[in-house]
Amino acid sequence: MERTLAIIKPDGVARGFIGEIIRRLEKEDLSILAVKMIWMTKEQAKGFYRVHAGKPFYESVTDFMSSGPCVAMVLEGKDAINVYRKLMGATNHKEAAKGTIRHDYATNIEKNVVHGSDSPQSAAFEIAYFFNELEIFKS
Ligand code: ATP
Ligand code: MG
């Protein structure tokens, strides 16, 4: 069993896709162990995406991520990181496979509706960034 952090980004929340995205992940073998809505400050968004510090899109993506509420979730399942990233599709929606969340809903490379951890190490950091142990349902 593996855990991953999923986020419905501010564009996904504002455009009314919370239910659709949760429906899609519930159809996979992904259990939701925790969920919360959070509106990050700019500083919190910078901390979350600190691996991207210095990249040309860092300022812009952290402005975007702090522009409205997100839904953060801890997902668990077999190969959860890859299963969820497959559901999301490629970072750039123009390259995302048909039927993926980003293919179906993203409007540009930045406003791409969802986030998912990309490794067990980033999942551990990202889950702890939003949730403490008491908030995570024990499967
Ligand atoms: P995420 O980490 O949000 O799941 P990802 O792992 O597919 O996305 P990353 O390379 O980690 O992609 O980039 C983090 C986020 O920064 C992207 O999801 C997107 O919102 C934004 N981003 C990435 N590359 C660009 C770019 N070239 N221009 C603008 N924004 C970008
Ligand atoms: Mg990433």
Side-chain angles (χ1 to χ4, degrees), residues 46-108:
K46 285 172 85 171
F48 177 71
Y49 271 143
R50 65 186 184 183
V51 292
H52 297 304
K55 292 185 187 167
F57 59 85
Y58 183 58
E59 277 304 314
S60 174
V61 78
T62 53
D63 278 345
F64 165 53
M65 291 299 284
S66 58
S67 68
C70 291
V71 173
M73 291 173 275
V74 179
L75 308 181
E76 187 178 74
K78 189 169 176 295
D79 201 21
I81 292 171
N82 285 324
V83 168
Y84 180 62
R85 283 190 72 91
K86 246 192 182 149
L87 270 185
M88 293 197 307
T91 309
N92 185 346
H93 68 116
K94 290 182 180 155
E95 290 159 14
K98 274 194 179 151
T100 61
I101 294 166
R102 285 168 169 172
H103 172 274
D104 292 350
Y105 301 120
T107 49
N108 65 46

Side-chain angles (χ1 to χ4, degrees), residues 7-18 21 37-38 49 61 63-71 91 93 101-102 104-115:
I7 296 178
I8 304 173
K9 295 183 179 183
D11 58 333
V13 172
R15 292 168 65 212
F17 297 143
I18 297 173
I21 291 164
M37 208 161 190
I38 182 162
Y49 271 143
V61 78
D63 278 345
F64 165 53
M65 291 299 284
S66 58
S67 68
C70 291
V71 173
T91 309
H93 68 116
I101 294 166
R102 285 168 169 172
D104 292 350
Y105 301 120
T107 49
N108 65 46
I109 191 170
E110 179 181 88
K111 294 185 177 57
N112 58 7
V113 185
V114 279
H115 162 84

